[in-house]
């Protein structure tokens, strides 16, 4: 024992003084939006060289990528994550259409601009996006280190920088929720909403300190490797867009401070990416290559640094795997205006569910789609029995109302400007009030009030007024074949009360009562020197419907199915023509869409309608012709024919739509449609006789104000052709 003690005492001076001190190495990654992808090349070269990083710090995109590396992801893994992520849709906070409530699918996809209304005051959005999808992704990615609340306890100690929007001061984030800290650090002004942490409202750290080499030096690092992807200030000739000007304003302080810091670090790396901007996410492949090209220039430098680290620890790497968690308890904090039952119902969660992180994200989509929340955060806490408590932290939106706008033009309704006011919790919990006022050539309105009880019986009220004036070649309505066309003036005032059950966000089953007033007249024909009135009656009917909608996009679906089956039993009429008799009218639409490769889409839509105990009023015949997505009552689109040119008591129609997407939002179209009209088309089983046919070719651009379409249609039956043009969302 005595000899061992003497040996140890003799060895101690050698251990402490006989070896060169291993230098501490820190890595600093600047912000730069999409330009930050160039950081990854450096991370890969650090992996190859075998450098042990003792600290990582970053700002904005540099914080996100640096945080991933600090948590245990390799450079290669981070590169794969970037390549496989659609950052444009991520930052836009787009939700899968499948997560939208059925009410939203029917009435909430027709506006271009939305402004929040809080306590009667109209405001502006804090950003283009709430950033919820970004937070969801970060929560998934950092699941392996979820329990780490002190960032210095990560596999590699880490910090990131944010900016206090109230004071403009720099905020050092080193504790708390890592995903939330990274979300705050990357909150580029106007693009992403600020993040509230510890009663501070935080935005992108680049505003205060885009290249935090000074903070890293204060951590006691001997060698600092700094990667600066901040560009340079633009000359006035290049400041030609809002994005460019905004980027220039935000860059003033970033650029000046980065210039001062670069001389204080040992290894300064600045990739040549001056030609890219912060939102060039579509050019990520090019930026990754630029990062690789610059990083490889420093491989010898990295090897020398690694050689000074003889006592390196083996890096802890994350093995990405999907895991199911047994949920034995669900906690919800922050629920004020919306009950726990409402939250769990929308999340479709219950105790003893077994669920993965990806599935939790999909459930959060369902809750986000209600638009009731500013932020949804969660944590999984393991219990002693290996089950988990799922804790949700909610921040509800202060604004429960909105003012929305859109514009539109088509051949039937002409020009129109939509002003929509929507409000939730107007009279009851879970209710939605929506009022569309359309100003333009044909003044219209649509009012919807709906109490959404989900799978349980819901109820609502609808009211609308529609009017238009259009020429039609139809002679049946006039019984005057000698006329080439007439000008039809049509007014419809409809009020409904209904009960509805919706389930799986795709189905809706309902029934109710409807009051309808129809006034149809023409000045082309005179009766006793007055306008000819075809109908001027009030009707009361009982109606029922079944709807299904799984299209991934309302206007340009690439997959999914659609069904709208409805029937009306007309019971009472004020009987303008003194010949009313009760009748039943049914109409149905069935459709599907499927992708044929990455750019081709095939969409098929089939429609049919029939009437039992045919009414004497011609206004209830089915009228086919023209193109419009907002036809009402018994008007049906049919390419190759003029508006309402064909009519009968029953009809069958099939449409085949072939779309080729040659850019992200531009399409070339070919459409063929076929129809058969008879007094009773179903009586004769030979459904392929007396077929009316029409075709169209065209171009569509899916713009932020809605589709811009121009089509040329024709029919070999009549040798007639028509140009069709529409602009904006349909309303």
């Amino acid at each position: 024992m005595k000899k061992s003690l003497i040996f140890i005492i003799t060895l101690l001076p050698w251990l402490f003084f006989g070896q060169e001190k291993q230098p501490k190495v820190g890595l600093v990654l600047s912000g730069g939006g999409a330009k930050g992808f160039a950081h990854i090349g450096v991370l890969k070269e650090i992996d190859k060289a075998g450098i042990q990083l003792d600290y990582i710090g970053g700002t904005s995109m540099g914080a996100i990528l640096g945080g991933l590396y600090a948590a245990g992801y390799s450079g290669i893994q981070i590169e794969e994550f970037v390549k496989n992520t659609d950052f444009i849709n991520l930052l836009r906070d787009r939700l899968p259409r499948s997560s939208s409530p059925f009410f939203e699918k029917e009435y909430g996809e027709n506006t271009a601009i939305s402004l929040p209304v809080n306590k009667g005051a109209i405001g502006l959005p804090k950003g283009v996006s709430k950033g919820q999808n970004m937070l969801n992704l970060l929560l998934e990615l950092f699941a392996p280190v979820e329990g780490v609340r002190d960032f210095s306890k990560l596999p590699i100690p880490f910090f990131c920088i944010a900016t206090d929007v109230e004071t403009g001061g720099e905020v050092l984030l080193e504790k708390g929720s890592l995903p939330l800290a990274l979300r705050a650090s990357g909150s580029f002004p106007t693009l992403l909403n600020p993040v509230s942490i510890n009663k501070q409202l935080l935005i992108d750290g680049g505003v205060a300190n885009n290249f935090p080499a000074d903070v890293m030096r204060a951590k006691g690092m001997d060698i600092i490797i700094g990667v600066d992807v901040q560009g340079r200030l633009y000359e006035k000739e290049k400041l030609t867009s809002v994005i460019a000007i905004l980027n220039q304003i935000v860059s003033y302080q970033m650029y000046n401070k980065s210039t001062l810091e670069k001389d204080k670090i040992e290894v300064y790396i600045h990739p040549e990416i001056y030609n890219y901007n912060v939102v060039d996410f579509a050019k990520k492949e090019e930026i990754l290559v630029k990062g690789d090209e610059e990083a490889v220039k420093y491989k010898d430098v990295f090897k020398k640094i690694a050689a000074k680290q003889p006592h390196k620890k083996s890096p802890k790497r994350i093995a990405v795997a999907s895991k199911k968690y047994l949920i034995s308890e669900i906690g919800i904090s922050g629920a004020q205006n919306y009950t726990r039952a409402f939250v769990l119902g929308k999340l479709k969660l219950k105790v003893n569910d077994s669920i993965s992180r990806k599935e939790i994200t999909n459930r959060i989509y369902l809750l986000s789609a209600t638009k009731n929340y500013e932020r949804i955060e969660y944590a999984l806490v393991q219990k002693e029995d290996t089950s988990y408590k799922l804790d949700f932290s909610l921040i509800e939106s202060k604004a429960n109302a909105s003012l929305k706008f859109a514009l539109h033009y088509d051949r039937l309704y002409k020009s129109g400007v939509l002003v929509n006011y929507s409000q939730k919790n107007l009279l009851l919990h879970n209710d939605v009030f929506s009022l569309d006022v359309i100003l333009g050539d044909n003044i219209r309105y649509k009012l919807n009030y709906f109490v959404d009880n989900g799978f349980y019986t819901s109820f609502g009220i609808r009211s609308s007024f529609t009017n238009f004036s259009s020429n039609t070649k139809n002679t049946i309505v006039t019984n005057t074949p000698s006329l080439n066309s007439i000008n039809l003036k049509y007014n419809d005032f409809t009020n409904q009360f209904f009960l509805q059950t919706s389930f799986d966000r795709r189905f809706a089953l309902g029934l109710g009562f409807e009051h309808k007033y129809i006034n149809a007249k023409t000045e082309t024909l005179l009766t006793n020197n007055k306008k000819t009135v075809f109908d001027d009656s009030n009707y009361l009917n009982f109606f029922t419907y079944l709807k299904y909608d799984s299209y991934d996009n309302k206007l340009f679906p690439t997959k999914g199915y659609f069904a709208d089956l409805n029937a009306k039993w007309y019971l009472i009429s004020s009987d303008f023509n003194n010949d009313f008799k009760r009748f039943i009218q049914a109409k149905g639409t069935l459709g599907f869409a499927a992708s044929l490769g990455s750019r081709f889409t095939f969409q098929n839509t089939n429609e049919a309608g029939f009437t039992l105990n045919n009414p004497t009023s011609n206004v209830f015949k089915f009228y086919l012709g023209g193109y419009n997505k907002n036809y009402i009552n018994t008007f049906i689109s049919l390419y190759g024919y003029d508006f309402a040119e064909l009519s009968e008591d029953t009809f069958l129609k099939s449409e085949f739509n072939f779309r080729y997407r040659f850019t992200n939002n531009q399409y070339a179209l070919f459409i063929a449609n076929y129809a058969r009209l008879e007094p009773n088309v179903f009586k004769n089983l030979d459904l392929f006789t007396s077929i009316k046919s029409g075709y169209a070719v065209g171009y569509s651009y899916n713009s932020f104000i809605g589709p811009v379409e121009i089509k040329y249609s024709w029919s070999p039956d009549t040798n007639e052709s028509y140009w069709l043009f529409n602009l904006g969302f349909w309303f």
Side-chain angles (χ1 to χ4, degrees), residues 136-252:
N136 291 343
L137 179 61
L138 293 172
L139 287 165
E140 284 186 45
L141 290 170
F142 290 96
V145 294
E146 184 174 49
V148 179
R149 306 293 292 182
D150 182 345
F151 304 167
S152 67
K153 305 299 183 185
L154 291 167
I156 302 174
F158 174 76
F159 70 83
C160 63
I161 303 295
T163 302
D164 188 327
V165 73
E166 185 178 12
T167 66
E170 175 184 329
V171 179
L172 178 63
L173 298 173
E174 318 181 88
K175 295 181 184 297
S177 167
L178 179 57
L180 194 61
L182 297 175
R183 165 67 182 84
S185 182
S187 296
F188 191 84
T190 73
L191 289 182
L192 291 171
N193 281 7
V195 175
S196 178
I197 298 179
N198 298 328
K199 298 182 179 180
Q200 290 179 296
L201 194 62
L202 306 180
I203 60 172
D204 195 298
V207 176
N209 191 350
N210 195 51
F211 191 54
D214 55 341
V215 181
M216 184 61 75
R217 185 67 71 188
K219 296 293 183 182
M221 298 298 104
D222 302 301
I223 298 173
I224 297 177
I225 302 169
V227 190
D228 185 8
V229 298
Q230 174 63 32
R232 52 195 171 194
L233 299 177
Y234 292 113
E235 296 81 11
K236 61 183 179 183
E237 290 78 15
K238 294 184 178 180
L239 299 174
T240 57
S241 69
V242 173
I243 292 294
I245 294 172
L246 178 62
N247 187 52
Q248 184 88 336
I249 294 171
V250 175
S251 296
Y252 293 145

Side-chain angles (χ1 to χ4, degrees), residues 231-352:
R232 52 195 171 194
L233 299 177
Y234 292 113
E235 296 81 11
K236 61 183 179 183
E237 290 78 15
K238 294 184 178 180
L239 299 174
T240 57
S241 69
V242 173
I243 292 294
I245 294 172
L246 178 62
N247 187 52
Q248 184 88 336
I249 294 171
V250 175
S251 296
Y252 293 145
Q253 187 172 344
M254 294 183 186
Y255 183 76
N256 293 329
K257 191 163 185 176
S258 295
T259 301
L260 294 173
E261 292 297 326
K262 72 179 183 180
D263 297 326
K264 300 178 182 179
I265 63 177
E266 284 68 32
V267 183
Y268 178 76
I269 304 172
H270 197 175
E272 293 287 331
I273 49 175
Y274 298 119
N275 295 325
Y276 301 93
N277 61 53
V278 295
V279 293
D280 272 338
F281 296 101
K283 299 179 181 179
K284 60 185 177 183
E285 296 283 354
E286 298 176 25
I287 297 172
L288 287 169
V289 171
K290 292 288 185 182
D292 289 343
E293 291 173 350
E294 188 66 24
V296 77
K297 298 175 184 177
Y298 292 84
K299 66 179 182 179
D300 292 336
V301 175
F302 291 163
K303 287 179 181 179
K304 290 178 181 178
I305 295 173
K308 296 179 180 181
Q309 299 177 309
H311 309 294
K312 291 189 286 287
K313 301 175 184 175
S314 298
K316 296 181 180 178
R317 294 302 184 204
I318 290 175
V320 180
S322 180
K323 177 183 175 181
K324 293 275 188 177
Y325 300 86
L326 177 62
I327 308 302
S328 60
E329 186 178 353
I330 301 173
I332 297 174
S333 62
Q336 299 177 356
N337 296 315
Y338 303 94
T339 64
R340 175 184 173 90
F342 174 85
V343 173
L344 293 179
K346 294 299 179 183
L347 290 168
K348 300 171 73 174
L349 272 176
K350 59 184 183 295
V351 172
N352 294 324

Side-chain angles (χ1 to χ4, degrees), residues 29-41 43 59-62 65 82 227 229-230 273 277-278 281 287-288:
L29 304 177
S30 79
K35 295 183 293 183
F37 298 148
H39 291 311
I40 297 173
L43 295 176
T59 298
S60 195
M61 183 61 79
L65 300 178
V82 168
V227 190
V229 298
Q230 174 63 32
I273 49 175
N277 61 53
V278 295
F281 296 101
I287 297 172
L288 287 169

Side-chain angles (χ1 to χ4, degrees), residues 434-445:
S434 177
L435 174 63
D436 292 346
V437 177
I438 297 113
L439 307 174
D441 292 305
N442 294 281
I443 296 175
R444 297 167 281 152
Y445 85 85

Side-chain angles (χ1 to χ4, degrees), residues 474-482 525 534 618:
N474 193 292
T475 58
I476 295 178
V477 73
T478 65
N479 293 314
T480 311
S482 60
L525 293 171
F534 303 119
N618 284 328

